[in-house]
Amino acid sequence: MTLLALDPSDFLSEFYISFWIPTAVLTAALVIKLPTIIRLWRDPLLRAVGGLLLLACGVFVFCTPSTIAAVNRFTGVPNISAPWCYSLITAFCGSCLLLIITWRNGLSDRSAATRRAMRWVVSVYSGVVVALWVLFLLADAPVERLRDLDTYYATTPFMREEILLYLVAHAVACLITSKLIWNWVRTEGLDAWLRWGLKLLGAGYVLNLIFDASKLIAVVARWFGQDLDWLSTNLAPPVAALSAILIAVGFILPHAGQYLHDRWRVRLAHRELRPLYQLMRSTSGEGVPFVLRATPELRLTRRETFIRDVLLPLARHIDTGLNRRSYDAALDLGHPPARARALAAAVSILDATEAKARDPEPPWGSPQDLEALGEAAGPDTTSLLQEIAAVSRALRRPDDIEAVRARATAPAESVAVHD
C-alpha cells in the first residue's frame, strides 16, 4: 500500500480567499455607517467606528501582494511596505481596543480607570508604530518578498524583532478585545441585534488569534531551523480574510438589523391596517392619494390619519348597546378580553357603515346637536381610535365577526335556550 502524504500548503490553497472580498465587505460596512457618521459627526463613538472600518479597509488594500509591490516600486525601497502594513495593523488593533472600551463603558463613563486605560492604549500602540519604523531602518532587507516576508526574514537582525513586535502587539490587542467582547455578550438586557453583532465580532477576533498563532509558530520554527512556512503563507491569509468578514458583519448587523426590523415593523403595521382602510374608503368614497416618493413611515401615518378622520364622524352612527352586547358575546364565545374588544368594535363599525348607508344623519342629528346635548349623548370614540390596528386584524376573520354579531343581535331568550 502506498501512503500519500498530505501537503498542507496544497490543501489550504483550495480555501484561498481573495483579500479584495473582505475589503469589499468592510467598505460596504463603512458605506452603511457613513450617513449616520456624517449626520452625528460630533458623536466620538461613531467617529471611532468610522475610523476603525477605514483602517481595516486600509489593512487589506495595502497588504494585498499587488499593492505591496506597487508601494515598493513607488518608493524605490525594497520591502518598505512591511513597516507600513505592520503600522496599519497595529493602529487597527489599538483602534479596536479604544472602540470596545468606549462602547462598553459608554460615553458618560468618565472614570479615572477608563481614561487611564485609553491613555495606555494610545501611548503603547503609538510607541509600537514608532519602534516598527526604527527597527526597519536598522534592518537589512534587500530582497523583496511579497508573500513570505515574515518567515523569510524571521532570523534577520532587527527584522526579526520587528516581525515579533507586530505579532505580539496584534495578539495582545485581539486577546484583550476578545475577552471584553465575550464578557459584554453575557451582559443581561442587550438588544438581540447587538448581541449577535458582538458574537460575530468575538468570533472574528478569535480567528485573529489563530492568525497570530499561525504566524508566530512559523516564525519560531524558522529560529530552530524548521520549515513551517505554510502556516504563515497558506493558513494565516484566509483566516485573516474570514476574520475581517466576520468583524465587518458584526459592525453592520446591529445597525442594519435594527433598520430592517423597523422597516419590517412599519410595513407590517401598514399591511395590518388594510382591511379597516378598505372599509373606511368604501364608506367615504375616497382614499389616500398615492405619493410615489413617500417613505413607509409617511404612508403608515397617512393611512392611520385617514382611518381616524373617517371613523370620527362615523362614530355618530355607532350603537353603543350593540357594542356592549358584542363584547359580552365575544367573551361568551371564548375570546380573551383584548380580542373581544376588537371584535366588538369591528361589529359596531360594520353596523355603523350600514346605518350610515341607510340614513346619512343619525337620529340625534349633527355634531352641533351632540355638543348641545352634552358628551354623554354620543359614543366615546377614544379607545376605538387608539385600537384601529386590533380592529383591522379582527376584520380579517369575518367568520368570528359573524358569530359575535349573530350572538349579540339574537333575542335574549333564544341565546339562553341555546346555552
Side-chain angles (χ1 to χ4, degrees):
M1 180 185 296
T2 303
L3 296 178
L4 298 177
L6 178 63
D7 185 351
S9 62
D10 291 341
F11 176 74
L12 290 170
S13 64
E14 299 295 327
F15 298 95
Y16 174 74
I17 301 176
S18 172
F19 274 17
W20 295 112
I21 295 176
T23 302
V25 177
L26 288 163
T27 302
L30 182 59
V31 169
I32 290 174
K33 287 281 188 182
L34 195 58
T36 306
I37 293 171
I38 294 173
R39 188 172 65 254
L40 303 174
W41 178 249
R42 294 182 179 225
D43 187 338
L45 185 58
L46 285 173
R47 290 203 304 269
V49 171
L52 184 136
L53 291 173
L54 191 60
L55 275 172
C57 290
V59 166
F60 281 94
V61 168
F62 285 100
C63 290
T64 303
S66 59
T67 309
I68 291 173
V71 172
N72 292 340
R73 285 196 304 270
F74 178 76
T75 60
V77 180
N79 298 313
I80 190 69
S81 285
W84 173 241
C85 290
Y86 296 162
S87 297
L88 286 174
I89 293 172
T90 303
F92 172 74
C93 294
S95 298
C96 290
L97 274 175
L98 289 175
L99 176 61
I100 296 301
I101 290 171
T102 306
W103 195 4
R104 176 67 178 89
N105 296 334
L107 296 176
S108 59
D109 185 352
R110 299 296 180 181
S111 66
T114 300
R115 292 195 299 270
R116 187 165 56 250
M118 296 180 73
R119 285 196 300 268
W120 180 85
V121 171
V122 172
S123 59
V124 168
Y125 279 85
S126 297
V128 170
V129 170
V130 172
L132 289 171
W133 285 96
V134 171
L135 289 169
F136 180 77
L137 292 175
L138 295 173
D140 183 20
V143 181
E144 183 183 61
R145 309 300 298 184
L146 301 181
R147 297 181 182 274
D148 61 347
L149 184 140
D150 292 343
T151 51
Y152 186 86
Y153 287 108
T155 57
T156 303
F158 299 112
M159 282 299 292
R160 173 183 58 219
E161 287 77 11
E162 175 167 4
I163 294 165
L164 185 63
L165 179 61
Y166 103 84
L167 286 175
V168 170
H170 186 262
V172 169
C174 290
L175 186 63
I176 296 174
T177 304
S178 179
K179 180 176 176 55
L180 290 173
I181 289 174
W182 287 113
N183 287 341
W184 192 3
V185 168
R186 290 192 290 268
T187 303
E188 296 293 334
L190 286 184
D191 174 77
W193 294 108
L194 175 58
R195 189 181 299 278
W196 277 105
L198 289 172
K199 286 181 179 180
L200 290 174
L201 286 174
Y205 284 108
V206 168
L207 286 177
N208 264 326
L209 291 174
I210 297 175
F211 166 87
D212 293 323
S214 303
K215 288 278 187 179
L216 282 168
I217 292 172
V219 168
V220 172
R222 279 282 185 159
W223 295 352
F224 292 95
Q226 302 298 317
D227 184 358
L228 294 177
D229 290 6
W230 62 271
L231 288 172
S232 177
T233 56
N234 294 91
L235 176 61
V239 168
L242 183 58
S243 168
I245 292 172
L246 290 177
I247 289 173
V249 176
F251 278 117
I252 292 173
L253 191 62
H255 174 81
Q258 188 60 51
Y259 173 82
L260 293 175
H261 175 74
D262 291 341
R263 287 285 172 164
W264 170 253
R265 186 169 48 81
V266 169
R267 292 184 184 277
L268 183 62
H270 186 268
R271 181 176 175 273
E272 283 184 341
L273 289 175
R274 181 176 177 81
L276 185 56
Y277 168 72
Q278 289 179 326
L279 179 61
M280 295 299 98
R281 187 172 63 177
S282 65
T283 301
S284 68
E286 58 183 11
V288 178
F290 177 73
V291 179
L292 182 62
R293 300 183 64 180
T295 63
E297 292 82 2
L298 180 57
R299 288 199 293 270
L300 175 60
T301 301
R302 288 162 61 90
R303 177 165 285 189
E304 290 174 339
T305 303
F306 173 80
I307 290 172
R308 291 189 174 100
D309 287 346
V310 178
L311 270 178
L312 198 57
L314 183 65
R316 295 186 292 130
H317 298 269
I318 287 179
D319 183 347
T320 55
L322 175 63
N323 184 272
R324 287 192 298 269
R325 294 194 303 274
S326 298
Y327 177 72
D328 294 337
L331 291 177
D332 292 340
L333 290 171
H335 295 286
R339 175 72 173 168
R341 282 194 299 271
L343 288 168
V347 170
S348 301
I349 291 172
L350 288 170
D351 180 76
T353 58
E354 295 169 1
K356 183 181 178 182
R358 293 192 302 267
D359 183 9
E361 284 296 330
W364 48 77
S366 65
Q368 290 77 13
D369 297 332
L370 282 177
E371 185 177 354
L373 292 172
E375 293 182 0
D380 183 9
T381 61
T382 304
S383 60
L384 177 61
L385 295 177
Q386 291 175 344
E387 297 176 1
I388 57 174
V391 175
S392 188
R393 287 193 296 270
L395 288 171
R396 291 182 178 273
R397 302 295 297 270
D399 293 342
D400 290 346
I401 292 175
E402 287 302 319
V404 171
R405 190 173 190 175
R407 191 177 184 90
T409 56
E413 295 81 3
S414 64
V415 173
V417 171
H418 183 270
D419 290 342

